[in-house]
Amino acid sequence: KSPTVFQQMECWVPLFQIFLNSPCPETEASLWLQQSFNQPEATAISTTSFLSLLSRPTEITITGSPSPSHTKRVEWIQTLPNAVQARILSFLLYDCQRFCETDLCQLAETMLKEGKELDFWVKRAAHQLLDVVSRSTHEWLSCLNLDSEEEQMEDEFRSLPDCLKKDDVNDTDLMLPWLPISQKQFNLVRQYNSCGENDDHMTEFEEDKREIVGEVIEEVDEEVIKEVDEYLNPQVEEMAERLKDSLLSLQSTAKAVELAGEIRQLCKGGGQALAILGIIEPWRADDETAAVLVSNLLDGNEDALGWPSHVLCSVILPKLLVLKEPASRVLLTATLEYSKVHQRASEYALLLPMILRMDGINSPICDVITRIVRESLHPGHVSSFCQKLLSDEDNLKKFICLPYHQCLIGNKLVWTESLFNLMQNILNHNIHLTQDSVDRLIQHAWESAHRFSKSLKFGNFLLCFVTKCSPMLKSQKTLLIEATQHTNTLVTKSVLSKLSSL
């Protein structure tokens, strides 16, 4: 590589350190970029050069290939760790107004062509980026009239200033003395180059989106056991009963570690793991024993969703579903550490079942979920989770639990004060919500305003919501004002004041 390439990459090192180490990389990266723009000496730093670096073609060697010279051509961003890729895409979505929408679409589309080879959360982040930035670029294609002026739509990021588009400019005159091209010639070139360029993008995107959602639902369905069609082997059932007796009579941590090994071996060798765990009933252990079990039931060779989700839904979830007081420190610590390593399992076997609790979440459960969101999950993961949670599609709310606890879990959100408080906590964590999620949240707030007219928690949620999501509220501003007018709390006037200024 030439020294010029290294120099171009060197100026971006502080930004990539933010993506690698920061607990909130989106806002910190945005601030760094703004400060870099204000430094005269930072001439190499621009949004265009950053996207050029990310999309730079790079040759990588295929691991496991019989030929050492077997290489593959990818974009430079794909050579980074998956977690860093997801954070970069999340940042591009957070600060998308600074970047060219066409370039963002092209970057996301190129990454999505990797299909199943792409990491799940990188794929979700790329889908979210494409979903948001492609809306304004491609929405007009579905109703395109080739005889109308819409045919000459231009990329706003690279379009001419209005002063150069005036009708009174003579077509035969030069647009500027140093540009030997007329306005008519320029428009014809732009029209020709853009015609038919992206006709198939939205079709491909929607197909890819349906495919990835279908893959996740199918994977979760494989882990959900609603009834056991086959009887367990009598010997396996007998062994499970013996382990259950041992669990309730444990006297030391060493015995708990030994028991965890026996449970793991029986579940992995006896077939139906959830059925076996249902007999052992590990959730009946005290919190100290449960923490030991959680940290010792894994051997490091598990997939992202299967056995880790079984551990969560049989040891931790039943305790949290009936939580009426703050969770013990030992149980909460074990849950947070486990969720950091197994984020997908935490989503499907812990967060979704808890939030879909039949009676709605209470304050102690809200506190636990807030801690998991803040300390264990990636912001992009949380944004995706919220979009799924607020969706009307029930098949997106697939969760994993034991048959014994399904009676405690519904398939619809129950909007309690604590659930609105949870949404406020998520917004305060600077989680980016899509326009669709914001619209549905407005609808739920409007429907709940009568019930929580004197609730300060609901009022604080409205105030936070209006403050954090103000650019996305204009389309349903009237509905939100109507909901606020039904409340009578200390913050009602503040919310109405902020809404009137939108």
Side-chain angles (χ1 to χ4, degrees), residues 293-404:
L293 290 178
V294 164
S295 59
N296 287 277
L297 279 173
L298 304 181
D299 57 17
N301 299 319
E302 296 81 9
D303 58 29
L305 190 60
W307 177 243
S309 64
H310 297 170
V311 173
L312 278 178
C313 76
S314 63
V315 181
I316 302 296
L317 176 62
K319 290 179 173 292
L320 298 180
L321 280 174
V322 297
L323 203 62
K324 294 182 178 179
E325 297 180 354
S328 66
R329 180 176 298 180
V330 63
L331 182 65
L332 185 57
T333 301
T335 302
L336 294 175
E337 293 302 319
Y338 192 98
S339 298
K340 287 179 183 178
V341 181
H342 302 284
Q343 297 192 17
R344 294 188 66 200
S346 176
E347 176 184 349
Y348 290 106
L350 205 58
L351 294 181
L352 267 173
M354 279 198 292
I355 296 179
L356 292 173
R357 186 171 178 261
M358 190 71 74
D359 297 329
I361 66 172
N362 54 29
S363 183
I365 295 177
C366 173
D367 292 341
V368 171
I369 297 174
T370 299
R371 290 286 300 274
I372 295 174
V373 166
R374 287 180 176 175
E375 301 179 28
S376 301
L377 302 187
H378 184 274
H381 192 156
V382 180
S383 177
S384 172
F385 172 73
C386 289
Q387 186 175 8
K388 179 189 307 178
L389 194 66
L390 294 170
S391 171
D392 287 338
E393 299 182 42
D394 291 337
N395 63 341
L396 294 180
K397 298 183 179 68
K398 297 285 186 178
F399 56 84
I400 300 171
C401 77
L402 291 172
Y404 307 95

Side-chain angles (χ1 to χ4, degrees), residues 11-60:
C11 67
W12 296 106
V13 170
L15 181 60
F16 286 105
Q17 288 177 340
I18 292 174
F19 291 133
L20 188 62
N21 302 315
S22 174
C24 190
E26 291 84 357
T27 52
E28 190 171 339
S30 178
L31 180 61
W32 180 89
L33 199 61
Q34 181 62 46
Q35 292 174 344
S36 299
F37 289 158
N38 297 331
Q39 296 177 3
E41 66 275 8
T43 56
I45 295 179
S46 68
T47 55
T48 303
S49 62
F50 181 58
L51 289 181
S52 298
L53 173 62
L54 296 180
S55 58
R56 185 187 301 277
T58 306
E59 298 286 343
I60 61 171

